[in-house]
Amino acid sequence: QVQLVESGGGLVQAGGSLRLSCAASGRTFSWQPVAWFRQAPGKEREFVAAVSWSDGTTYYADSVKGRFTISRDNAKNTVYLQMNSLKPEDTDVYYCATRVPFRATATDKNEYDFWGQGTQVTVSS
């Protein structure tokens, strides 16, 4: 099965940028949708962005649209989340997730089967 590892989190000032990476091992996920979610302590995990396997279509939460960009590099078996114009409210643990091959891209966390361990993003004001 596929294993996911997130990296690239850290501490930045408001208005700054970070690029998160989600690297897969064990098998390719070229044929699987991949999504980013985030979660604050005591809160439910919420959708951030996703990219399909079929045509590269992307999806974004309204709160990040225009600031974040999701992309995938299948040659490197990696999905990225470029985060610009960061705000303090973006402070969360960010997780990448995927589901079995050939399934539709989803924004519901319950549709995803495989998760990474998360990477912390902290934005100071």
Side-chain angles (χ1 to χ4, degrees), residues 42-85:
K43 303 295 184 180
E44 294 187 356
R45 196 165 296 184
E46 67 175 1
F47 172 75
V48 177
V51 60
S52 73
W53 61 267
S54 56
D55 59 3
T57 301
T58 57
Y59 306 84
Y60 298 95
D62 288 341
S63 59
V64 306
K65 193 173 299 181
R67 300 188 297 121
F68 292 9
T69 303
I70 188 171
S71 62
R72 66 192 309 164
D73 185 341
N74 287 335
K76 297 181 179 179
N77 221 21
T78 300
V79 170
Y80 303 98
L81 184 68
Q82 178 67 46
M83 305 186 295
N84 298 326
S85 301

Short mmCIF file of all heavy atoms in Angstrom, two decimals, residues 42-85:
data_model
loop_
_atom_site.label_atom_id
_atom_site.label_comp_id
_atom_site.label_asym_id
_atom_site.label_seq_id
_atom_site.Cartn_x
_atom_site.Cartn_y
_atom_site.Cartn_z
N GLY A 42 -8.50 20.43 19.02
CA GLY A 42 -9.89 20.45 19.43
C GLY A 42 -10.89 20.70 18.33
O GLY A 42 -12.09 20.79 18.60
N LYS A 43 -10.42 20.83 17.09
CA LYS A 43 -11.30 21.10 15.96
C LYS A 43 -11.34 19.91 15.01
O LYS A 43 -10.46 19.05 15.03
CB LYS A 43 -10.84 22.35 15.20
CG LYS A 43 -10.73 23.60 16.05
CD LYS A 43 -12.09 24.04 16.57
CE LYS A 43 -11.96 25.36 17.33
NZ LYS A 43 -13.28 25.81 17.85
N GLU A 44 -12.35 19.88 14.16
CA GLU A 44 -12.44 18.85 13.14
C GLU A 44 -11.50 19.15 11.99
O GLU A 44 -11.20 20.31 11.69
CB GLU A 44 -13.87 18.73 12.62
CG GLU A 44 -14.87 18.23 13.65
CD GLU A 44 -16.23 17.96 13.07
OE1 GLU A 44 -16.44 18.24 11.86
OE2 GLU A 44 -17.10 17.46 13.81
N ARG A 45 -11.03 18.09 11.35
CA ARG A 45 -10.18 18.24 10.19
C ARG A 45 -10.98 18.83 9.03
O ARG A 45 -12.09 18.37 8.74
CB ARG A 45 -9.60 16.87 9.82
CG ARG A 45 -8.42 16.92 8.88
CD ARG A 45 -7.70 15.56 8.87
NE ARG A 45 -7.13 15.24 10.18
CZ ARG A 45 -6.39 14.17 10.41
NH1 ARG A 45 -6.13 13.31 9.45
NH2 ARG A 45 -5.92 13.95 11.64
N GLU A 46 -10.42 19.85 8.36
CA GLU A 46 -11.14 20.51 7.29
C GLU A 46 -10.39 20.45 5.97
O GLU A 46 -9.16 20.43 5.93
CB GLU A 46 -11.43 21.97 7.66
CG GLU A 46 -10.22 22.86 7.77
CD GLU A 46 -10.57 24.32 8.02
OE1 GLU A 46 -11.76 24.65 8.12
OE2 GLU A 46 -9.63 25.14 8.11
N PHE A 47 -11.15 20.48 4.90
CA PHE A 47 -10.60 20.40 3.56
C PHE A 47 -9.86 21.67 3.18
O PHE A 47 -10.31 22.77 3.50
CB PHE A 47 -11.73 20.14 2.56
CG PHE A 47 -11.31 20.23 1.13
CD1 PHE A 47 -10.59 19.21 0.54
CD2 PHE A 47 -11.64 21.33 0.36
CE1 PHE A 47 -10.19 19.28 -0.78
CE2 PHE A 47 -11.26 21.42 -0.96
CZ PHE A 47 -10.53 20.39 -1.53
N VAL A 48 -8.74 21.52 2.46
CA VAL A 48 -7.97 22.65 1.97
C VAL A 48 -7.91 22.66 0.45
O VAL A 48 -8.30 23.64 -0.20
CB VAL A 48 -6.54 22.65 2.54
CG1 VAL A 48 -5.72 23.80 1.95
CG2 VAL A 48 -6.57 22.73 4.06
N ALA A 49 -7.43 21.58 -0.15
CA ALA A 49 -7.25 21.51 -1.60
C ALA A 49 -7.14 20.06 -2.04
O ALA A 49 -6.78 19.19 -1.25
CB ALA A 49 -6.01 22.29 -2.04
N ALA A 50 -7.42 19.80 -3.32
CA ALA A 50 -7.31 18.45 -3.86
C ALA A 50 -6.99 18.51 -5.34
O ALA A 50 -7.27 19.51 -6.01
CB ALA A 50 -8.61 17.67 -3.64
N VAL A 51 -6.41 17.42 -5.86
CA VAL A 51 -6.10 17.30 -7.28
C VAL A 51 -6.50 15.91 -7.75
O VAL A 51 -6.25 14.92 -7.06
CB VAL A 51 -4.61 17.61 -7.56
CG1 VAL A 51 -3.70 16.65 -6.80
CG2 VAL A 51 -4.32 17.56 -9.05
N SER A 52 -7.11 15.84 -8.93
CA SER A 52 -7.59 14.58 -9.46
C SER A 52 -6.48 13.77 -10.10
O SER A 52 -5.38 14.27 -10.36
CB SER A 52 -8.69 14.83 -10.49
OG SER A 52 -8.15 15.35 -11.69
N TRP A 53 -6.76 12.50 -10.39
CA TRP A 53 -5.83 11.65 -11.12
C TRP A 53 -6.11 11.66 -12.62
O TRP A 53 -5.24 11.37 -13.42
CB TRP A 53 -5.89 10.20 -10.62
CG TRP A 53 -7.25 9.56 -10.80
CD1 TRP A 53 -8.26 9.51 -9.90
CD2 TRP A 53 -7.73 8.90 -11.98
NE1 TRP A 53 -9.35 8.85 -10.43
CE2 TRP A 53 -9.04 8.47 -11.70
CE3 TRP A 53 -7.16 8.61 -13.23
CZ2 TRP A 53 -9.81 7.77 -12.65
CZ3 TRP A 53 -7.93 7.92 -14.17
CH2 TRP A 53 -9.23 7.52 -13.87
N SER A 54 -7.34 11.97 -12.99
CA SER A 54 -7.79 11.78 -14.37
C SER A 54 -7.38 12.91 -15.31
O SER A 54 -6.85 12.66 -16.39
CB SER A 54 -9.31 11.62 -14.40
OG SER A 54 -9.96 12.72 -13.78
N ASP A 55 -7.61 14.15 -14.90
CA ASP A 55 -7.34 15.28 -15.79
C ASP A 55 -6.62 16.43 -15.09
O ASP A 55 -6.47 17.50 -15.68
CB ASP A 55 -8.63 15.78 -16.44
CG ASP A 55 -9.67 16.24 -15.43
OD1 ASP A 55 -9.39 16.23 -14.22
OD2 ASP A 55 -10.78 16.60 -15.86
N GLY A 56 -6.19 16.24 -13.86
CA GLY A 56 -5.48 17.28 -13.15
C GLY A 56 -6.35 18.39 -12.60
O GLY A 56 -5.82 19.42 -12.16
N THR A 57 -7.65 18.20 -12.59
CA THR A 57 -8.55 19.21 -12.05
C THR A 57 -8.25 19.46 -10.57
O THR A 57 -8.02 18.52 -9.81
CB THR A 57 -10.01 18.77 -12.22
OG1 THR A 57 -10.28 18.56 -13.61
CG2 THR A 57 -10.96 19.83 -11.68
N THR A 58 -8.27 20.72 -10.18
CA THR A 58 -7.99 21.09 -8.79
C THR A 58 -9.22 21.66 -8.12
O THR A 58 -10.11 22.21 -8.77
CB THR A 58 -6.84 22.09 -8.71
OG1 THR A 58 -7.16 23.25 -9.50
CG2 THR A 58 -5.55 21.48 -9.23
N TYR A 59 -9.24 21.55 -6.79
CA TYR A 59 -10.34 22.02 -5.98
C TYR A 59 -9.76 22.73 -4.76
O TYR A 59 -8.75 22.31 -4.21
CB TYR A 59 -11.21 20.85 -5.51
CG TYR A 59 -11.70 19.97 -6.63
CD1 TYR A 59 -10.91 18.95 -7.14
CD2 TYR A 59 -12.97 20.16 -7.18
CE1 TYR A 59 -11.35 18.14 -8.17
CE2 TYR A 59 -13.41 19.35 -8.22
CZ TYR A 59 -12.61 18.35 -8.71
OH TYR A 59 -13.05 17.55 -9.74
N TYR A 60 -10.43 23.80 -4.32
CA TYR A 60 -9.94 24.58 -3.19
C TYR A 60 -11.07 24.99 -2.27
O TYR A 60 -12.18 25.29 -2.72
CB TYR A 60 -9.23 25.86 -3.67
CG TYR A 60 -8.02 25.59 -4.50
CD1 TYR A 60 -8.09 25.58 -5.89
CD2 TYR A 60 -6.78 25.35 -3.90
CE1 TYR A 60 -6.96 25.33 -6.67
CE2 TYR A 60 -5.65 25.11 -4.67
CZ TYR A 60 -5.75 25.10 -6.04
OH TYR A 60 -4.63 24.86 -6.81
N ALA A 61 -10.77 25.03 -0.99
CA ALA A 61 -11.69 25.64 -0.04
C ALA A 61 -11.74 27.14 -0.30
O ALA A 61 -10.75 27.76 -0.70
CB ALA A 61 -11.23 25.37 1.39
N ASP A 62 -12.90 27.74 -0.07
CA ASP A 62 -13.05 29.17 -0.31
C ASP A 62 -12.04 30.00 0.50
O ASP A 62 -11.59 31.05 0.05
CB ASP A 62 -14.46 29.62 0.03
CG ASP A 62 -15.48 29.13 -0.98
OD1 ASP A 62 -15.10 28.76 -2.11
OD2 ASP A 62 -16.69 29.13 -0.64
N SER A 63 -11.68 29.52 1.67
CA SER A 63 -10.80 30.27 2.55
C SER A 63 -9.37 30.39 2.02
O SER A 63 -8.62 31.26 2.47
CB SER A 63 -10.78 29.63 3.94
OG SER A 63 -10.33 28.29 3.88
N VAL A 64 -8.98 29.52 1.08
CA VAL A 64 -7.61 29.54 0.57
C VAL A 64 -7.55 29.84 -0.92
O VAL A 64 -6.44 29.99 -1.47
CB VAL A 64 -6.87 28.21 0.86
CG1 VAL A 64 -6.93 27.89 2.34
CG2 VAL A 64 -7.45 27.07 0.04
N LYS A 65 -8.67 29.92 -1.59
CA LYS A 65 -8.70 30.14 -3.03
C LYS A 65 -8.01 31.45 -3.38
O LYS A 65 -8.26 32.49 -2.77
CB LYS A 65 -10.15 30.15 -3.51
CG LYS A 65 -10.32 30.05 -5.01
CD LYS A 65 -11.80 29.89 -5.38
CE LYS A 65 -12.39 28.62 -4.78
NZ LYS A 65 -13.82 28.44 -5.15
N GLY A 66 -7.12 31.40 -4.37
CA GLY A 66 -6.36 32.56 -4.77
C GLY A 66 -5.05 32.72 -4.03
O GLY A 66 -4.21 33.53 -4.45
N ARG A 67 -4.86 31.99 -2.94
CA ARG A 67 -3.63 32.06 -2.16
C ARG A 67 -2.82 30.76 -2.22
O ARG A 67 -1.59 30.80 -2.21
CB ARG A 67 -3.93 32.39 -0.70
CG ARG A 67 -4.63 33.72 -0.51
CD ARG A 67 -4.73 34.09 0.98
NE ARG A 67 -5.54 33.12 1.73
CZ ARG A 67 -5.10 32.41 2.77
NH1 ARG A 67 -3.85 32.57 3.19
NH2 ARG A 67 -5.91 31.58 3.41
N PHE A 68 -3.51 29.62 -2.26
CA PHE A 68 -2.85 28.31 -2.26
C PHE A 68 -2.97 27.67 -3.63
O PHE A 68 -3.98 27.86 -4.34
CB PHE A 68 -3.50 27.37 -1.23
CG PHE A 68 -3.29 27.74 0.21
CD1 PHE A 68 -2.72 28.95 0.58
CD2 PHE A 68 -3.68 26.86 1.20
CE1 PHE A 68 -2.54 29.28 1.92
CE2 PHE A 68 -3.50 27.17 2.54
CZ PHE A 68 -2.93 28.37 2.90
N THR A 69 -1.98 26.88 -4.01
CA THR A 69 -1.99 26.14 -5.26
C THR A 69 -1.53 24.71 -5.02
O THR A 69 -0.46 24.49 -4.46
CB THR A 69 -1.08 26.79 -6.31
OG1 THR A 69 -1.48 28.15 -6.53
CG2 THR A 69 -1.16 26.02 -7.63
N ILE A 70 -2.34 23.75 -5.43
CA ILE A 70 -1.97 22.34 -5.34
C ILE A 70 -1.48 21.88 -6.71
O ILE A 70 -2.02 22.26 -7.74
CB ILE A 70 -3.14 21.47 -4.84
CG1 ILE A 70 -2.66 20.04 -4.55
CG2 ILE A 70 -4.31 21.49 -5.80
CD1 ILE A 70 -3.70 19.18 -3.85
N SER A 71 -0.45 21.05 -6.72
CA SER A 71 0.09 20.52 -7.96
C SER A 71 0.69 19.14 -7.69
O SER A 71 0.93 18.78 -6.54
CB SER A 71 1.15 21.45 -8.55
OG SER A 71 2.25 21.60 -7.67
N ARG A 72 0.91 18.39 -8.75
CA ARG A 72 1.52 17.08 -8.58
C ARG A 72 2.59 16.85 -9.63
O ARG A 72 2.49 17.29 -10.78
CB ARG A 72 0.46 15.97 -8.61
CG ARG A 72 -0.26 15.76 -9.92
CD ARG A 72 -1.48 14.84 -9.73
NE ARG A 72 -1.15 13.61 -9.05
CZ ARG A 72 -2.04 12.78 -8.49
NH1 ARG A 72 -3.33 13.07 -8.53
NH2 ARG A 72 -1.63 11.67 -7.89
N ASP A 73 3.64 16.14 -9.22
CA ASP A 73 4.73 15.75 -10.09
C ASP A 73 4.80 14.23 -10.01
O ASP A 73 5.39 13.67 -9.09
CB ASP A 73 6.03 16.39 -9.64
CG ASP A 73 7.18 16.11 -10.59
OD1 ASP A 73 7.10 15.15 -11.38
OD2 ASP A 73 8.18 16.85 -10.55
N ASN A 74 4.18 13.57 -10.97
CA ASN A 74 4.10 12.11 -10.93
C ASN A 74 5.47 11.45 -11.09
O ASN A 74 5.67 10.34 -10.60
CB ASN A 74 3.12 11.61 -11.98
CG ASN A 74 1.68 11.88 -11.61
OD1 ASN A 74 1.34 12.02 -10.43
ND2 ASN A 74 0.81 11.97 -12.60
N ALA A 75 6.39 12.10 -11.78
CA ALA A 75 7.73 11.55 -11.94
C ALA A 75 8.43 11.44 -10.59
O ALA A 75 9.25 10.55 -10.39
CB ALA A 75 8.55 12.39 -12.90
N LYS A 76 8.12 12.35 -9.67
CA LYS A 76 8.71 12.34 -8.34
C LYS A 76 7.79 11.72 -7.30
O LYS A 76 8.15 11.64 -6.13
CB LYS A 76 9.07 13.76 -7.90
CG LYS A 76 10.13 14.42 -8.76
CD LYS A 76 10.46 15.81 -8.26
CE LYS A 76 11.54 16.46 -9.10
NZ LYS A 76 11.86 17.83 -8.63
N ASN A 77 6.60 11.30 -7.73
CA ASN A 77 5.62 10.71 -6.83
C ASN A 77 5.33 11.63 -5.65
O ASN A 77 5.28 11.20 -4.49
CB ASN A 77 6.09 9.34 -6.33
CG ASN A 77 4.98 8.31 -6.29
OD1 ASN A 77 3.96 8.43 -6.96
ND2 ASN A 77 5.18 7.28 -5.48
N THR A 78 5.14 12.91 -5.96
CA THR A 78 4.98 13.93 -4.94
C THR A 78 3.88 14.91 -5.32
O THR A 78 3.72 15.26 -6.49
CB THR A 78 6.30 14.71 -4.74
OG1 THR A 78 7.33 13.79 -4.34
CG2 THR A 78 6.15 15.78 -3.67
N VAL A 79 3.12 15.35 -4.32
CA VAL A 79 2.13 16.40 -4.47
C VAL A 79 2.56 17.57 -3.60
O VAL A 79 3.04 17.38 -2.48
CB VAL A 79 0.73 15.90 -4.08
CG1 VAL A 79 -0.27 17.05 -4.00
CG2 VAL A 79 0.24 14.87 -5.09
N TYR A 80 2.37 18.79 -4.11
CA TYR A 80 2.78 19.99 -3.42
C TYR A 80 1.60 20.87 -3.07
O TYR A 80 0.57 20.85 -3.74
CB TYR A 80 3.75 20.81 -4.28
CG TYR A 80 4.97 20.05 -4.72
CD1 TYR A 80 5.03 19.46 -5.98
CD2 TYR A 80 6.06 19.91 -3.87
CE1 TYR A 80 6.16 18.76 -6.39
CE2 TYR A 80 7.18 19.21 -4.27
CZ TYR A 80 7.23 18.64 -5.53
OH TYR A 80 8.34 17.95 -5.92
N LEU A 81 1.76 21.66 -2.04
CA LEU A 81 0.82 22.72 -1.71
C LEU A 81 1.62 24.00 -1.51
O LEU A 81 2.30 24.16 -0.50
CB LEU A 81 0.01 22.39 -0.45
CG LEU A 81 -1.07 23.41 -0.09
CD1 LEU A 81 -2.20 23.39 -1.13
CD2 LEU A 81 -1.64 23.14 1.30
N GLN A 82 1.55 24.89 -2.49
CA GLN A 82 2.20 26.19 -2.39
C GLN A 82 1.26 27.14 -1.68
O GLN A 82 0.13 27.35 -2.13
CB GLN A 82 2.54 26.72 -3.78
CG GLN A 82 3.19 28.10 -3.78
CD GLN A 82 4.56 28.10 -3.16
OE1 GLN A 82 5.38 27.24 -3.46
NE2 GLN A 82 4.83 29.05 -2.28
N MET A 83 1.71 27.71 -0.58
CA MET A 83 0.88 28.58 0.25
C MET A 83 1.50 29.97 0.26
O MET A 83 2.61 30.17 0.76
CB MET A 83 0.77 28.03 1.67
CG MET A 83 0.26 26.60 1.74
SD MET A 83 -0.03 26.04 3.44
CE MET A 83 1.65 26.08 4.06
N ASN A 84 0.77 30.94 -0.29
CA ASN A 84 1.21 32.33 -0.34
C ASN A 84 0.26 33.19 0.48
O ASN A 84 -0.85 32.79 0.80
CB ASN A 84 1.24 32.83 -1.78
CG ASN A 84 2.22 32.08 -2.65
OD1 ASN A 84 3.27 31.65 -2.20
ND2 ASN A 84 1.87 31.93 -3.93
N SER A 85 0.72 34.39 0.80
CA SER A 85 -0.09 35.35 1.56
C SER A 85 -0.68 34.71 2.81
O SER A 85 -1.88 34.84 3.10
CB SER A 85 -1.20 35.92 0.67
OG SER A 85 -0.66 36.56 -0.47
#
